[in-house]
Amino acid sequence: MTSPPMPPTPPGAPGPSDAPDASGGPPSHRPVSDGRAHHDLVGIGIGPFNLSLASLCSGVPGLRALFLEARAGFSWHPGLLLEGTVLQVPFLADLVTMADPTSPWSYLNYLRHHGRMFPFFFSERFHIPRREYDHYCRWVAERLPSCRFGAEVTALEWDERAGLFTVTYRSADGAESRVTARQVVLGVGTAPVVPEPLRPLLGGAHTGGPVLHSADYLTHRARLAAARDVTVVGAGQSGAEVVLDLLRHQDGNGASGPYVRWLARTPAFAPMEYSKIGLEHFTPDYIHYFRGLGEDERERLVREQWQLYKGVSGETLGDIHDELYERTIGGAAPRAALHPGVEIRTASAEGDGYRLTCLHRGQGTVFEVRTSAVVAATGYTAARPAFLEPMADLIDWDDRGRYQVDGDYRVALDPRVSGSLYVQNAEMHTHGVGAPDLTLGAWRAATILNAAAGRTVLPVPSRVAWTTFGAPHTQGSTRDPGVGARDGALGATVAGSPR
């Protein structure tokens, strides 16, 4: 069968004269005085968010962009690419469509290229398989000349004399290279978080099973399925999917396979907020409103809005319930237990397994759990990459050591730095719960692209929600001095009001 044609080269994308040289390196652009290749923009890290930016940059005439990634190729949460799992956002939240639906790097064009448009149409899917999203991103990454894999960034420095950032990176063969750029975008992703009591036990080599983060679940899946007893910690989507997968490794009546225990600090195993109005928290309107709040209020909101970004899809919860229901046919008790409102206080190795001391937060009751293996599905957090150390003193960190990020996702820097440093998915504390969500990925990338270009390359909407976040802007509106906007700026408080 003849393969469908490749997508056309986007306007402004590198043509034959910009192709990689014979060594396989990226195209060389305008060298600076010391011979280092210069780019208008360098992205560090190639996950979905910087890949979105790379895709949008490819359509801009004359823009010299380079994206560097330490891994050998694109890979999106490989430890959780379980069969049957789907994205929690619609397929339109691909790399480009929400900012530029005409882009050749859309998910629909991916389907066309792979001859899957009709099967997709007949499947009537709105939420696509997670494994296919990963394959789609790899398809894009392998075709963008600006993306270089196997390039580990080791240092980011500011050259005040030249007025440029210098990015040092090391290739897989150990060769060191440097490039310069006026603007740099950090898209290094987040790091797995493991509760402190479990950290000393990570990678445990007991015969029963390991202690690991859910990011590594598929690597250890067979061993966990054969364990006597597995405890899953964390009430989010990843924890629910691990629980469901382990339940499915039990036989029909639950007589074989691991005993499955699910612990979570949250007061309930609750569904993710997925109402049409509730989803308006993932809009530019809410970001503008959230940015205008005081720091304490922002911190409170992020904690209380956990169901917006840490809940479980209703379908997955339903599937877990159905699996447990099947186990009770004939009067049997399911070999599983669900315990919300519980936190782990201490953990230690014991025999061929582990002893966990737990606290029920509501009752104040302390109890012990003995288990063969532990999977910590406890999320991720933004981490400060080591390559930032050379310019750490030039970054204006907040009191908690986090980036201070403006409305264009630009990091606050020392006035001596005339270039711009942007960040993706490390700004929940300044921009709200949409920071890690794929829904806003293309919109944020377009916002950064416009700021970096100094002009509107792609128009981005600022008002899309029906909800007015904040008080309506009326002639007689005033602000309570004890509540409201940061620095007393009323306009920031009502940024979501009708214009």
Side-chain angles (χ1 to χ4, degrees), residues 45-55 67-79 81 87 94-95 130-144 147-151 187-189 438:
I46 305 177
F49 295 135
N50 257 0
L51 185 57
S52 172
L53 180 59
S55 302
F67 292 80
L68 303 170
E69 169 58 51
R71 296 171 299 177
F74 184 90
S75 182
W76 184 68
H77 295 299
L81 294 180
L87 286 187
D94 62 12
L95 298 172
R130 192 178 295 166
R131 291 170 60 235
E132 187 169 41
Y133 178 78
D134 174 72
H135 189 257
Y136 153 65
C137 289
R138 282 189 280 123
W139 174 77
V140 174
E142 290 166 1
R143 285 158 178 76
L144 286 176
C147 291
R148 169 178 274 196
F149 291 89
V188 294
L438 295 175

Side-chain angles (χ1 to χ4, degrees), residues 185-204:
V185 184
L186 303 180
V188 294
T190 50
V193 173
V194 175
E196 192 280 330
L198 295 175
R199 291 173 197 166
L201 302 175
L202 285 172

